[in-house]
């Protein structure tokens, strides 16, 4: 029974509990409200798929009297279920897909969820869940996708946290702390690791599996420090890496050219980059029939629960959400807001498939590599707030897809590029570089080019003036010493001049006391 995407209101009828042999029920995308009827939760024991997502349902999510033990797919996301998660679903041993995200659930994640031996996809994001992730989730090793993001989970993730079967881990926007378990990056089949906005500290693990399938690595907004390990270059399947807003230091490795999806190392016809977005099957759904002529597997893809993953990545000054085929073609590297130093490796210019590159808010020095003109697919390039010097390479005019460019607050000089995409940029993209000039920033290059000569001349005059002052000080000191010694020599030899000198000193003392006392009395 598929009654989704209508405008049905009110409560779900309790009489639906009389449909004892109902296998699939989809009431998603309506306006149902109230609590789930007891008769419905106990009578529809044959249900294999139940979708109630995107309604206004409320109350307890898994009451103890619940008797839906044959469920394989259960979607209750985007409702108003609240309170603690009870154990009414603990006997659903065939459950494969569970989505209770975007509700108002609180309390701890119950341990019994880890005892569901068939559980492959667990989505619990955007609630108010507390505590830690149950270690029981490691028990059976069948979990392929775990999303507990945007909750209040905390604590350290010990080395025993080893979801070796997982393809996708979303733990962002929580309060996890301690070191990142090295077991996560040792996995050979982990594809997505999202640990953004937690309190992880220490360094990025160096133990990275050379046969890793990791495509998405998001560590933004933690307290990570130390150097960027060169072992990151072993992630040859990587497409998006965000290490921004940490305390990473040292130089940028030039070995990123070993990453296939950032260069053009993919072989023709190699579509392996697409396989991972939905690694789990829709079992328990496609095989059901309403009648011999209507098969559920002929329904449109958007009408079926897909669990398709979504990735958020900062580009073009805003967060963008990528999913599906768009996600499979997106590539990006963000190292902004760290403490990185040294020159930008010229090898970065060989990452021809990168669409977004952000090195802003670091302490990078040297010049912008001319090889950046080879970033043929780049759409967003941010090098602002560094210590870069020299000219902006004119070869960058060849970047035909560039829509966001920022080199502000550096020490750059010379003319700005003004052809192609660069004709669309203005002062905001170049501010904080007094030595830059060009029509796009309304600054005449003739004056700027003359200023270095004038500046050199002024500098020479300043140096000469400084030299004259030093000579003056030395000559004054020598003259003072000579005069003093000469005076004492005269007074020592000639008694007449010595008497006059003492008379002069005595007169000066008398006048001094006279005027001081007069000033005091007048006050």
């Amino acid at each position: 029974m598929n009654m989704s995407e209508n405008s049905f209101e009110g409560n779900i009828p309790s009489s639906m509990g009389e449909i004892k042999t109902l296998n699939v029920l989809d009431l998603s995308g309506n306006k149902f409200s109230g609590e789930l009827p007891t008769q419905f939760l106990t009578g529809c024991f044959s249900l294999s798929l139940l979708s109630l997502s995107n309604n206004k349902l409320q109350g307890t999510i898994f009451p103890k009297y619940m008797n839906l033990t044959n469920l394989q797919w259960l979607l209750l996301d985007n409702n108003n279920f609240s309170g603690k998660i009870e154990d009414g679903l603990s006997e659903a041993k065939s459950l494969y897909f569970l989505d209770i995200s975007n509700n108002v659930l609180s309390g701890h994640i119950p341990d019994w969820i880890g005892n569901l031996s068939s559980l492959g996809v667990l989505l619990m994001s955007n609630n108010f869940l507390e505590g830690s992730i149950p270690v029981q989730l490691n028990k059976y090793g069948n979990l392929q996708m775990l999303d507990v993001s945007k909750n209040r989970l905390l604590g350290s993730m010990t080395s025993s946290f080893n979801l070796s079967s997982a393809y996708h881990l979303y733990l962002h926007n929580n309060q996890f702390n301690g070191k990142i378990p090295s077991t996560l990056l040792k996995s050979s089949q982990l594809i997505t690791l999202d640990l953004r906005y937690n309190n992880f500290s220490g360094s990025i693990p160096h133990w990275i599996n050379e046969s890793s399938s990791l495509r998405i690595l998001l560590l933004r907004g933690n307290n990570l420090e130390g150097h960027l390990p060169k072992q990151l270059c072993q992630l040859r399947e990587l497409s998006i890496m965000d290490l921004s807003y940490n305390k990473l230091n040292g130089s940028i490795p030039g070995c990123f050219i070993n990453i296939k999806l950032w260069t053009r190392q993919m072989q023709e016809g190699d579509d392996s980059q697409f396989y991972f977005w939905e690694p789990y099957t829709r079992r328990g759904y496609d095989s059901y029939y309403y009648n011999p002529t209507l098969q559920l597997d002929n329904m449109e893809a958007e009408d079926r629960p897909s669990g398709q993953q979504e990735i958020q990545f900062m580009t073009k000054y805003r967060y963008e959400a990528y999913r599906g085929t768009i996600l499979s073609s997106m590539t990006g590297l963000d190292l902004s807001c760290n403490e990185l130093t040294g020159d930008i490796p010229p090898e970065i210019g060989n990452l021809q498939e990168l669409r977004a590159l952000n090195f802003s808010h670091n302490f990078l020095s040297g010049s912008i590599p001319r090889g950046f003109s080879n970033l043929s697919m780049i759409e967003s390039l941010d090098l602002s707030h560094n210590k870069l010097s020299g000219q902006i390479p004119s070869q960058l005019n060849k970047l035909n897809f560039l829509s966001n460019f920022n080199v502000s607050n550096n020490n750059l000089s010379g003319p700005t590029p003004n052809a192609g995409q660069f004709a669309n940029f203005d002062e905001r993209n170049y501010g904080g570089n007094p030595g830059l000039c060009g029509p796009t920033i309304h600054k005449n290059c003739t004056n700027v080019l003359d200023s270095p000569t004038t500046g050199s001349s002024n500098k020479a005059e300043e140096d000469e003036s400084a030299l004259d002052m030093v000579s003056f000080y030395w000559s004054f000191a020598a003259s003072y010493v000579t005069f003093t010694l000469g005076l004492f020599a005269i007074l020592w030899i000639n008694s007449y001049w010595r008497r006059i000198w003492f008379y002069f000193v005595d007169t000066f003392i008398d006048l001094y006391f006279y005027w001081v006392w007069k000033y005091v009395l007048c006050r």
Side-chain angles (χ1 to χ4, degrees):
M1 180 182 292
N2 184 2
M3 302 170 65
S4 62
E5 303 298 332
N6 284 287
S7 298
F8 294 127
E9 299 177 347
N11 297 330
I12 295 176
S14 59
S15 59
M16 295 195 72
E18 300 295 333
I19 312 177
K20 306 296 183 182
T21 58
L22 185 63
N23 295 131
V24 176
L25 177 61
D26 191 348
L27 301 179
S28 62
N30 284 288
K31 299 179 181 179
F32 287 115
S33 59
E35 298 186 9
L36 297 177
T38 302
Q39 188 176 0
F40 171 73
L41 293 176
T42 57
C44 294
F45 49 78
S46 297
L47 276 176
S48 178
L49 184 145
L50 174 61
S51 179
L52 302 177
S53 57
N54 295 293
N55 280 286
K56 300 178 181 179
L57 299 168
Q58 58 190 41
T60 305
I61 196 164
F62 301 138
K64 294 182 179 180
Y65 55 79
M66 190 173 179
N67 189 31
L68 305 181
T69 56
N70 291 318
L71 279 174
Q72 296 182 32
W73 290 75
L74 179 58
L75 295 90
L76 303 178
D77 56 294
N78 292 286
N79 280 286
N80 296 317
F81 291 110
S82 60
K84 296 183 178 180
I85 302 175
E86 298 191 17
D87 58 357
L89 198 63
S90 59
E91 297 302 319
K93 302 299 183 181
S94 300
L95 189 65
Y96 171 75
F97 189 108
L98 176 59
D99 188 354
I100 56 175
S101 56
N102 296 297
N103 280 286
V104 201
L105 302 173
S106 59
H108 291 246
I109 300 175
D111 294 341
W112 60 260
I113 288 184
N115 295 326
L116 300 177
S117 57
S118 298
L119 191 63
V121 179
L122 178 58
L123 310 178
M124 311 178 75
S125 65
N126 202 17
N127 282 286
F128 297 93
L129 300 174
E130 302 172 346
S132 58
I133 299 176
V135 295
Q136 286 83 354
L137 287 175
N138 299 328
K139 185 175 181 180
Y140 293 103
N142 294 323
L143 195 64
Q144 299 176 7
M145 183 174 185
L146 174 64
D147 187 352
V148 292
S149 61
K150 298 182 180 179
N151 280 286
R152 298 176 178 177
L153 302 174
L154 48 78
S156 60
M157 299 171 62
T158 61
S159 57
S160 60
F161 186 83
N162 181 22
L163 293 176
S164 57
S165 62
Y167 288 92
H168 307 284
L169 290 178
Y170 297 89
L171 309 179
H172 61 88
N173 292 87
N174 281 288
Q175 300 174 33
F176 294 114
N177 56 28
K179 294 184 177 181
I180 298 175
S182 59
T183 53
L184 294 179
L185 294 178
K186 286 182 181 179
S187 173
S188 60
Q189 60 186 38
L190 185 64
I191 294 166
T192 304
L193 180 58
D194 190 346
L195 305 179
R196 290 173 296 140
Y197 298 113
N198 280 284
N199 296 317
F200 288 109
S201 58
S203 58
I204 299 175
H206 290 64
W207 300 104
I208 297 177
N209 194 330
E210 292 185 5
S211 59
S212 173
S213 301
L214 195 65
R215 301 292 183 95
I216 310 292
L217 178 59
L218 307 177
L219 305 179
R220 179 188 181 96
N222 283 281
N223 297 312
L224 300 173
E225 55 189 8
H227 289 46
L228 291 173
K230 292 184 179 180
Q231 287 82 352
L232 288 174
C233 303
Q234 297 176 3
L235 301 173
R236 295 175 58 82
E237 307 295 326
L238 203 63
S239 61
I240 296 177
M241 181 165 68
D242 187 351
L243 307 181
S244 60
Y245 288 89
N246 281 285
K247 301 175 182 178
L248 300 170
N249 54 43
S251 58
I252 299 174
C255 60
F256 284 143
I257 58 173
N258 295 328
I259 299 176
K260 292 194 299 183
L261 294 182
W262 290 353
T263 60
R264 289 181 175 169
Q265 300 179 37
M266 298 295 293
Q267 299 296 323
E268 186 176 354
D270 185 0
D271 58 353
S272 61
Q273 58 179 319
F274 299 105
Y275 86 96
F276 64 87
W277 302 121
E278 294 183 83
Y280 38 83
T281 62
R282 297 188 179 95
R283 60 180 180 177
Y285 190 82
D286 290 348
S287 59
Y288 286 97
Y289 295 84
Y290 177 69
N291 61 42
T293 60
L294 177 62
Q295 300 181 9
L296 289 179
D297 57 359
N298 288 329
M299 294 173 63
E300 294 295 330
E302 60 267 20
D303 294 332
R304 298 189 286 181
S306 64
Q308 191 177 53
Q309 70 170 148
E310 181 177 283
I311 292 294
Q312 289 185 331
F313 181 68
M314 176 72 77
T315 181
K316 302 179 182 179
Y317 313 121
R318 62 183 183 270
Y319 257 125
E320 296 283 2
Y322 299 92
R323 62 184 303 169
T325 56
I326 296 178
L327 176 57
S328 66
S329 61
M330 178 62 190
T331 53
L333 173 61
D334 192 343
L335 302 178
S336 63
C337 298
N338 279 288
E339 300 171 5
L340 300 174
T341 56
D343 295 352
I344 298 176
E347 293 88 348
I348 299 295
N350 294 323
L351 307 181
Q352 302 176 37
E353 296 297 315
L354 271 185
R355 297 182 183 272
L357 179 61
N358 191 344
F359 288 164
S360 65
H361 292 87
N362 281 286
F363 301 101
L364 300 174
S365 57
S367 59
I368 300 175
R370 295 182 180 180
F372 271 26
S373 60
N374 296 323
L375 300 173
S376 55
M377 300 299 294
I378 200 76
E379 299 175 12
S380 179
L381 178 59
D382 192 346
L383 304 175
S384 63
H385 295 273
N386 279 287
K387 298 181 179 180
L388 300 174
S389 58
Q391 295 189 1
I392 301 175
S394 59
Q395 292 86 346
L396 298 186
N397 285 323
K398 298 191 297 184
L399 302 179
N400 296 324
F401 295 107
L402 192 64
S403 59
N404 289 83
F405 178 71
N406 193 347
V407 291
S408 62
N409 295 286
N410 281 284
N411 298 317
L412 299 171
S413 59
T416 60
N418 56 13
Q421 296 290 97
F422 286 86
N424 301 318
F425 303 137
D426 53 29
E427 293 93 336
R428 294 172 296 179
N429 306 94
Y430 302 103
N433 293 283
L436 287 178
C437 62
T440 55
I441 58 175
H442 309 292
K443 193 172 184 181
N444 195 329
C445 285
T446 304
N447 297 333
V448 175
L449 292 176
D450 290 343
S451 62
T453 305
T454 306
S456 301
S457 176
N458 292 337
K459 186 176 181 180
E461 291 176 1
E462 291 176 1
D463 292 342
E464 184 177 353
S465 174
L467 200 61
D468 291 344
M469 290 301 296
V470 171
S471 302
F472 170 76
Y473 291 142
W474 278 107
S475 61
F476 177 81
S479 302
Y480 179 79
V481 171
T482 303
F483 174 79
T484 304
L485 292 176
L487 178 64
F488 277 106
I490 293 173
L491 295 177
W492 180 265
I493 297 172
N494 193 321
S495 60
Y496 174 75
W497 285 107
R498 186 164 59 247
R499 287 195 299 271
I500 293 177
W501 170 256
F502 287 130
Y503 175 78
F504 172 77
V505 172
D506 188 58
T507 303
F508 175 78
I509 293 174
D510 290 340
L511 288 174
Y512 173 77
F513 279 105
Y514 170 77
W515 286 109
V516 169
W517 280 107
K518 184 177 181 180
Y519 174 77
V520 172
L521 292 174
C522 290
R523 294 286 290 177

